[in-house]
Amino acid sequence: SEADYPALVKNIVFNSNIAEEKFMISVLNGAQISGAGNYTSQVVERAGGRVTFVGNAKNSYAESVIVTENPESQSVKYL
């Protein structure tokens, strides 16, 4: 539930390298789960990432999709 998100986020972001890479990250919710985009943006921000946009994807997806120019980055590996 959303009430459990803060405790879960605290456990997920321990020892993150996202802040060092300084990428701008957009989060699109394609899971059709209300609040999933906001939850993910909290994870990214608490790990030191910069979220520039949160919204809904045009389509729904069975799996997460990451679009990046650097698939070997620590941020991509973490997410």
Side-chain angles (χ1 to χ4, degrees):
S1 78
E2 277 191 54
D4 297 328
Y5 285 176
L8 293 172
V9 169
K10 183 177 179 182
N11 289 331
I12 290 171
V13 300
F14 188 69
N15 287 331
S16 165
N17 293 321
I18 292 177
E20 295 174 12
E21 292 184 324
K22 299 180 181 177
F23 289 135
M24 293 182 287
I25 300 170
S26 296
V27 177
L28 299 176
N29 180 2
Q32 294 186 337
I33 299 171
S34 180
N38 287 329
Y39 172 71
T40 303
S41 70
Q42 286 181 11
V43 170
V44 172
E45 288 175 342
R46 291 184 185 192
R50 294 184 349 189
V51 175
T52 58
F53 179 80
V54 178
N56 293 315
K58 291 182 181 179
N59 301 310
S60 61
Y61 298 90
E63 297 180 1
S64 295
V65 177
I66 297 177
V67 179
T68 181
E69 293 178 348
N70 186 355
E72 297 301 316
S73 75
Q74 291 298 314
S75 297
V76 171
K77 289 177 183 180
Y78 177 81
L79 295 171

